[in-house]
Amino acid sequence: MHNTAKDGLRDLRGRKPSESRKPDSEGNPQQQEAIMHGAGPMMVLAGPGSGKTFVLTRRIAHLINTHHIGPSEILVITFTKAAAGEMQQRFLSLCEGEHPPVTFGTFHAVFYSILKETSRCRTGSILSESEKKKILQDIIRKNRYNINPNADVLEEILSEIGRYKSRCFPGNDISKKRSTCESACYAPDKEVKENMNYIPQNISPELFRKLYQDFTRAQEIIGKIDFDDMALKCLELFQERPDILKQYQARYRYLLIDEFQDIAPIQYRLVRLLAAPENNLFIVGDDDQSIYGFRGAKPDIMRHFPKEYPSAKIVALQINYRSTPQVVSAAGKLIGHNRNRFPKEISAAKEPGAPLRITGTESVEQMEEALIRCLLPEKNAGKLADCAVISRTSARFPMLSEKLRQAGIPCMFREKVKSIYDHEIAYDLLAYLEFAVTPPKERSRSQFFRFMNRPLRYISREAVNESADFGHLIRYYRGKPGIQEAIIRLKQDLERISTMPVFLALNYIRRGMGYDLYLAERFGVHSMQNNKEGKCNLPEKENVHISELADMIQNSARGCRTLSQWKEIMEERRKETQSGTSTPKEGVTLLTMHGSKGLEYDKVFIVNCNEGSTPHRKARGEEEIEEERRMFYVAMTRAKKELTMFCITEEKSANKEGSTAKTMPPSRFLKEIE
């Protein structure tokens, strides 16, 4: 948690309590009503760009200066460290050098602090992300579950486990006869089956339940918890020790919760316990921006708040100071199609600006070319940092970032994005070249395993000795002339590419050694030569144009005289896609809709506005479609001056029978904003 150390009787402006002045006259009437609220519950509906941070920071100052609330009695909870830090700094900027000990922290930080103070958690007992992945990997391998334990799959399973922990027993006491982890495993079957939308499709509810139970029991054995367990542990603590709960209720008499629409059931349960019995609970949020269902967030919690607290005052901040009337109006039309929401009438404070643009293209390649044409003037004007490209997912970002780089447009990432050079194609091609240039006596089996059956040559792992000697392989397959012929041909091909320039060697591997045919089979593409839109049929990912991806990787080797030069280029470009690295600050920002939350840019470009992308193909029921619509609403309202949306209108691709089939139509959300 973020704490200041200073305490005392003087208010934050250096005056004694008796010298307290009247509240600032800044802000519109609705903002002032929220700021000046005294005791008891209050809900502030804060639309995009409506000044919620302004309200929160000035309300803290008002409580201290006007109501003489001790700063140490105020707890402000946010969802991220960055948000907590920013709000603390905004508050301290009002304090003219004073540092009142108001507590700012995330939910995890608050719960962790409570557990440490009560000796329910020790330093070093928190599982790191790498430890969690290692535990899950071991479980999958030990039990021989039919799951490919790659990094993406592990992250998706762990995310789903965390989501279920956040939703366990939101309204009931946890049984004292069971441990936290055991209790968490008994989520109703219906709940499991209806909400498994964020893990790979080949994992059944029954298999997920086993993974859940195995993982939580493994945690208990090693005596460690993860961030999602903290809330469960705190709930257990407060239920077992009412005296400890009373201590924290007395310590934090005033609770302020930011982004309340993102709260999970168990977090809400703890907030209610802490706020009792005085219920000085001040919540700020926007149910229209609730987009974290995969974390367990439930917008219904905010919508039911007036029923939970009948005496709660409600104020709506309905003036948008961020966006133009064109953006505000269109976003309002869109979100108005959601049934389950608080009705709002958002108006814009700004003067009218540029009209919204919807650009339709015939293919994803043309869409990205159109995007580049829009960004080039911004580059020339030195305004790329004021631009953002937003997509429902990051699936296309690796290839898009490479295209932008080739066009001379630098880009930045605020989220974890894989480089095209982290794709298996890049690793396969590199393995071919490294093995080819390595002296025979220094070669290894592990090198050879990477590509020996890409394409299929029917070489078994048992046939390969430590140095992957071809003479040994030929002798091993005595009596199998077909395999021997494939081995001899592979040997000759490796000798040939070892003397070629890197670009030509890669071209020969793809076209001369059959690697493109392997890709066609691997990714379900009928003919990569005839189908330039050859698409990857990975169930958990959006379509990726495999042929185009392979071309990009190959083209990066143009001009490279040696393999080491190409490896340096690949490593450099990998770093460019890593969030938080030395990416140029003047670049355009690439964001997912989730990642764009809380940010703003002069110009926003929303790409891939097609059914299947937004709304996502996994969204089926009304509740899921409404969350997808909220995500699009969030993306739209990031724009301060201009908003452009791109969709594919006529893209066609060849199927296995040689006929053509249209891709998904433009997103229904585009029609809803008209």
Side-chain angles (χ1 to χ4, degrees), residues 1 101 112 188 194 278 308 313 396 414 459 599:
M1 284 190 293
Y112 182 54
E194 289 183 353
E278 296 183 62
E308 299 280 356
K313 294 182 179 179
R396 274 294 296 187
R414 295 182 64 95
I459 303 171
L599 303 175

Side-chain angles (χ1 to χ4, degrees), residues 60-233:
I60 299 168
H62 178 74
L63 287 173
I64 298 170
N65 288 347
T66 303
H67 295 278
H68 313 314
I69 305 301
S72 61
E73 296 178 299
I74 300 172
L75 172 62
V76 185
I77 303 179
T78 67
F79 279 84
T80 67
K81 287 183 180 179
E86 181 184 355
M87 191 169 298
Q88 184 181 37
Q89 290 304 312
R90 290 274 294 274
F91 168 67
L92 292 177
S93 69
L94 302 173
C95 300
E96 298 182 351
E98 295 291 315
H99 295 274
V102 177
T103 300
F104 295 82
T106 64
F107 277 104
H108 289 150
V110 171
F111 299 153
Y112 182 54
S113 176
I114 292 172
L115 292 173
K116 281 190 69 177
E117 289 177 0
T118 56
S119 301
R120 293 297 182 103
C121 181
R122 68 183 188 282
T123 303
S125 63
I126 308 299
L127 280 170
S128 67
E129 288 302 309
S130 60
E131 288 176 317
K132 290 164 67 174
K133 289 180 182 178
K134 178 65 165 56
I135 290 172
L136 192 56
Q137 270 184 329
D138 291 343
I139 289 169
I140 292 170
R141 289 167 180 166
K142 180 181 177 181
N143 294 282
R144 298 184 178 181
Y145 292 139
N146 187 25
I147 301 171
N148 178 18
N150 62 51
D152 290 338
V153 171
L154 293 176
E155 286 178 7
E156 289 168 337
I157 295 172
L158 288 170
S159 176
E160 190 76 355
I161 288 173
R163 197 171 74 94
Y164 270 87
K165 287 181 179 180
S166 71
R167 299 181 69 169
C168 287
F169 299 95
N172 303 308
D173 289 349
I174 294 175
S175 173
K176 296 180 181 179
K177 296 180 180 179
R178 294 177 181 167
S179 70
T180 299
C181 295
E182 287 175 335
S183 298
C185 289
Y186 287 87
D189 286 333
K190 185 180 179 182
E191 172 84 355
V192 173
K193 291 177 181 179
E194 289 183 353
N195 293 282
M196 277 183 51
N197 296 319
Y198 303 100
I199 60 175
Q201 294 177 357
N202 63 327
I203 299 179
S204 66
E206 293 73 23
L207 179 54
F208 174 73
R209 179 180 293 279
K210 291 178 182 178
L211 289 167
Y212 196 128
Q213 293 172 335
D214 292 342
F215 183 82
T216 53
R217 286 168 183 162
Q219 283 184 263
E220 290 187 332
I221 291 171
I222 63 176
K224 286 192 174 185
I225 63 173
D226 58 24
F227 286 116
D228 301 305
D229 293 320
M230 291 179 184
L232 287 165
K233 292 289 185 183

Side-chain angles (χ1 to χ4, degrees), residues 478-582:
R478 189 181 297 110
K480 294 185 178 180
I483 300 178
Q484 283 184 326
E485 184 180 345
I487 294 169
I488 293 169
R489 189 163 53 249
L490 175 59
K491 179 177 181 295
Q492 293 170 343
D493 285 338
L494 289 170
E495 290 171 351
R496 185 175 288 113
I497 65 174
S498 69
T499 62
M500 291 180 177
V502 179
F503 178 84
L504 294 179
L506 294 173
N507 190 66
Y508 187 82
I509 294 168
R510 293 180 61 194
R511 279 100 182 170
M513 299 175 67
Y515 185 74
D516 273 9
L517 293 175
Y518 157 76
L519 291 179
E521 295 176 358
R522 166 74 174 81
F523 294 107
V525 180
H526 179 55
S527 173
M528 293 184 65
Q529 285 79 13
N530 298 325
N531 178 18
K532 281 289 185 180
E533 279 84 44
K535 293 177 180 161
C536 166
N537 290 328
L538 295 175
E540 73 273 15
K541 299 295 181 185
E542 290 189 2
N543 287 336
V544 176
H545 291 215
I546 295 300
S547 179
E548 184 188 7
L549 177 60
D551 287 345
M552 284 182 137
I553 294 169
Q554 180 182 337
N555 287 333
S556 68
R558 287 187 183 274
C560 294
R561 295 182 179 180
T562 64
L563 179 58
S564 59
Q565 286 181 323
W566 187 48
K567 290 171 70 174
E568 287 177 7
I569 288 174
M570 287 196 293
E571 185 58 32
E572 181 182 334
R573 295 181 186 174
R574 281 194 189 99
K575 291 179 179 179
E576 289 177 359
T577 61
Q578 295 175 4
S579 177
T581 62
S582 58

